[in-house]
mmCIF file of all heavy atoms in Angstrom:
data_model
loop_
_atom_site.group_PDB
_atom_site.id
_atom_site.type_symbol
_atom_site.label_atom_id
_atom_site.label_comp_id
_atom_site.label_asym_id
_atom_site.label_seq_id
_atom_site.Cartn_x
_atom_site.Cartn_y
_atom_site.Cartn_z
ATOM 1 N N PRO B 84 21.438 -2.340 -19.698
ATOM 2 C CA PRO B 84 20.824 -1.072 -20.156
ATOM 3 C C PRO B 84 19.653 -0.628 -19.292
ATOM 4 O O PRO B 84 19.465 0.577 -19.092
ATOM 5 C CB PRO B 84 20.394 -1.402 -21.594
ATOM 6 C CG PRO B 84 21.382 -2.426 -22.049
ATOM 7 C CD PRO B 84 21.661 -3.271 -20.826
ATOM 8 N N ARG B 85 18.888 -1.545 -18.745
ATOM 9 C CA ARG B 85 17.741 -1.163 -17.920
ATOM 10 C C ARG B 85 18.140 -0.578 -16.572
ATOM 11 O O ARG B 85 17.276 -0.103 -15.823
ATOM 12 C CB ARG B 85 16.813 -2.357 -17.683
ATOM 13 C CG ARG B 85 17.454 -3.539 -16.983
ATOM 14 C CD ARG B 85 16.556 -4.751 -17.089
ATOM 15 N NE ARG B 85 17.238 -5.968 -16.691
ATOM 16 C CZ ARG B 85 16.806 -6.764 -15.727
ATOM 17 N NH1 ARG B 85 15.696 -6.475 -15.077
ATOM 18 N NH2 ARG B 85 17.454 -7.875 -15.428
ATOM 19 N N ASP B 86 19.416 -0.614 -16.268
ATOM 20 C CA ASP B 86 19.896 0.026 -15.035
ATOM 21 C C ASP B 86 20.105 1.533 -15.232
ATOM 22 O O ASP B 86 20.384 2.252 -14.262
ATOM 23 C CB ASP B 86 21.222 -0.595 -14.588
ATOM 24 C CG ASP B 86 21.114 -2.092 -14.332
ATOM 25 O OD1 ASP B 86 20.017 -2.548 -13.942
ATOM 26 O OD2 ASP B 86 22.121 -2.802 -14.535
ATOM 27 N N SER B 87 19.982 1.986 -16.453
ATOM 28 C CA SER B 87 20.158 3.411 -16.729
ATOM 29 C C SER B 87 19.137 4.223 -15.941
ATOM 30 O O SER B 87 17.934 3.980 -16.028
ATOM 31 C CB SER B 87 20.007 3.682 -18.233
ATOM 32 O OG SER B 87 21.010 3.009 -18.962
ATOM 33 N N ALA B 88 19.617 5.169 -15.163
ATOM 34 C CA ALA B 88 18.758 5.944 -14.273
ATOM 35 C C ALA B 88 19.617 6.993 -13.586
ATOM 36 O O ALA B 88 20.834 7.037 -13.765
ATOM 37 C CB ALA B 88 18.119 5.036 -13.212
ATOM 38 N N VAL B 89 18.972 7.821 -12.774
ATOM 39 C CA VAL B 89 19.709 8.699 -11.878
ATOM 40 C C VAL B 89 19.664 8.060 -10.489
ATOM 41 O O VAL B 89 18.586 7.706 -10.001
ATOM 42 C CB VAL B 89 19.110 10.116 -11.819
ATOM 43 C CG1 VAL B 89 19.893 10.987 -10.842
ATOM 44 C CG2 VAL B 89 19.111 10.746 -13.209
ATOM 45 N N TYR B 90 20.811 7.914 -9.899
ATOM 46 C CA TYR B 90 20.918 7.293 -8.579
ATOM 47 C C TYR B 90 21.236 8.387 -7.557
ATOM 48 O O TYR B 90 22.223 9.102 -7.690
ATOM 49 C CB TYR B 90 22.003 6.216 -8.575
ATOM 50 C CG TYR B 90 21.617 5.011 -9.395
ATOM 51 C CD1 TYR B 90 21.756 5.017 -10.780
ATOM 52 C CD2 TYR B 90 21.089 3.870 -8.799
ATOM 53 C CE1 TYR B 90 21.368 3.921 -11.546
ATOM 54 C CE2 TYR B 90 20.705 2.768 -9.556
ATOM 55 C CZ TYR B 90 20.848 2.804 -10.920
ATOM 56 O OH TYR B 90 20.458 1.720 -11.675
ATOM 57 N N PHE B 91 20.362 8.496 -6.563
ATOM 58 C CA PHE B 91 20.541 9.505 -5.522
ATOM 59 C C PHE B 91 20.957 8.837 -4.215
ATOM 60 O O PHE B 91 20.465 7.774 -3.851
ATOM 61 C CB PHE B 91 19.235 10.266 -5.259
ATOM 62 C CG PHE B 91 18.860 11.244 -6.329
ATOM 63 C CD1 PHE B 91 17.903 10.918 -7.278
ATOM 64 C CD2 PHE B 91 19.450 12.494 -6.382
ATOM 65 C CE1 PHE B 91 17.533 11.824 -8.263
ATOM 66 C CE2 PHE B 91 19.087 13.404 -7.358
ATOM 67 C CZ PHE B 91 18.133 13.071 -8.299
ATOM 68 N N CYS B 92 21.814 9.525 -3.519
ATOM 69 C CA CYS B 92 22.151 9.166 -2.155
ATOM 70 C C CYS B 92 21.603 10.267 -1.256
ATOM 71 O O CYS B 92 21.643 11.456 -1.614
ATOM 72 C CB CYS B 92 23.674 9.055 -2.017
ATOM 73 S SG CYS B 92 24.262 8.768 -0.348
ATOM 74 N N ALA B 93 21.087 9.900 -0.105
ATOM 75 C CA ALA B 93 20.589 10.883 0.850
ATOM 76 C C ALA B 93 21.066 10.498 2.237
ATOM 77 O O ALA B 93 21.163 9.311 2.558
ATOM 78 C CB ALA B 93 19.067 10.976 0.823
ATOM 79 N N SER B 94 21.351 11.491 3.049
ATOM 80 C CA SER B 94 21.704 11.195 4.428
ATOM 81 C C SER B 94 20.921 12.102 5.353
ATOM 82 O O SER B 94 20.422 13.160 4.944
ATOM 83 C CB SER B 94 23.210 11.360 4.673
ATOM 84 O OG SER B 94 23.579 12.735 4.759
ATOM 85 N N GLY B 95 20.809 11.674 6.596
ATOM 86 C CA GLY B 95 20.080 12.513 7.541
ATOM 87 C C GLY B 95 19.687 11.757 8.778
ATOM 88 O O GLY B 95 20.219 10.693 9.096
ATOM 89 N N GLN B 96 18.762 12.358 9.458
ATOM 90 C CA GLN B 96 18.171 11.784 10.640
ATOM 91 C C GLN B 96 16.673 11.923 10.476
ATOM 92 O O GLN B 96 16.210 12.489 9.486
ATOM 93 C CB GLN B 96 18.666 12.527 11.880
ATOM 94 C CG GLN B 96 20.179 12.505 11.999
ATOM 95 C CD GLN B 96 20.687 13.470 13.038
ATOM 96 O OE1 GLN B 96 20.279 13.401 14.184
ATOM 97 N NE2 GLN B 96 21.562 14.351 12.645
ATOM 98 N N LEU B 97 15.938 11.405 11.433
ATOM 99 C CA LEU B 97 14.485 11.406 11.305
ATOM 100 C C LEU B 97 13.943 12.795 11.019
ATOM 101 O O LEU B 97 12.956 12.960 10.309
ATOM 102 C CB LEU B 97 13.857 10.848 12.590
ATOM 103 C CG LEU B 97 12.351 10.642 12.572
ATOM 104 C CD1 LEU B 97 11.994 9.576 11.542
ATOM 105 C CD2 LEU B 97 11.858 10.243 13.940
ATOM 106 N N SER B 98 14.626 13.782 11.532
ATOM 107 C CA SER B 98 14.094 15.136 11.412
ATOM 108 C C SER B 98 14.446 15.815 10.095
ATOM 109 O O SER B 98 13.988 16.923 9.832
ATOM 110 C CB SER B 98 14.602 15.992 12.564
ATOM 111 O OG SER B 98 16.014 15.969 12.596
ATOM 112 N N GLY B 99 15.219 15.134 9.275
ATOM 113 C CA GLY B 99 15.517 15.778 7.999
ATOM 114 C C GLY B 99 16.533 15.025 7.181
ATOM 115 O O GLY B 99 17.450 14.411 7.730
ATOM 116 N N TYR B 100 16.381 15.060 5.869
ATOM 117 C CA TYR B 100 17.265 14.333 4.964
ATOM 118 C C TYR B 100 17.729 15.252 3.854
ATOM 119 O O TYR B 100 16.961 16.043 3.318
ATOM 120 C CB TYR B 100 16.549 13.125 4.366
ATOM 121 C CG TYR B 100 16.097 12.137 5.416
ATOM 122 C CD1 TYR B 100 14.808 12.200 5.942
ATOM 123 C CD2 TYR B 100 16.962 11.182 5.911
ATOM 124 C CE1 TYR B 100 14.404 11.325 6.930
ATOM 125 C CE2 TYR B 100 16.561 10.305 6.898
ATOM 126 C CZ TYR B 100 15.278 10.382 7.398
ATOM 127 O OH TYR B 100 14.881 9.512 8.375
ATOM 128 N N THR B 101 18.986 15.105 3.487
ATOM 129 C CA THR B 101 19.581 15.896 2.417
ATOM 130 C C THR B 101 20.016 14.956 1.310
ATOM 131 O O THR B 101 20.630 13.923 1.577
ATOM 132 C CB THR B 101 20.797 16.677 2.929
ATOM 133 O OG1 THR B 101 20.384 17.527 4.016
ATOM 134 C CG2 THR B 101 21.375 17.551 1.823
ATOM 135 N N PHE B 102 19.705 15.347 0.094
ATOM 136 C CA PHE B 102 20.058 14.534 -1.054
ATOM 137 C C PHE B 102 21.320 15.054 -1.732
ATOM 138 O O PHE B 102 21.576 16.266 -1.764
ATOM 139 C CB PHE B 102 18.922 14.543 -2.077
ATOM 140 C CG PHE B 102 17.783 13.655 -1.697
ATOM 141 C CD1 PHE B 102 16.867 14.036 -0.732
ATOM 142 C CD2 PHE B 102 17.636 12.412 -2.280
ATOM 143 C CE1 PHE B 102 15.813 13.204 -0.362
ATOM 144 C CE2 PHE B 102 16.589 11.574 -1.926
ATOM 145 C CZ PHE B 102 15.691 11.965 -0.971
#
Side-chain angles (χ1 to χ4, degrees):
Chain B
R85 60 193 168 123
D86 301 330
S87 297
V89 179
Y90 291 81
F91 286 100
C92 174
S94 76
Q96 302 168 56
L97 186 64
S98 56
Y100 299 94
T101 302
F102 283 77

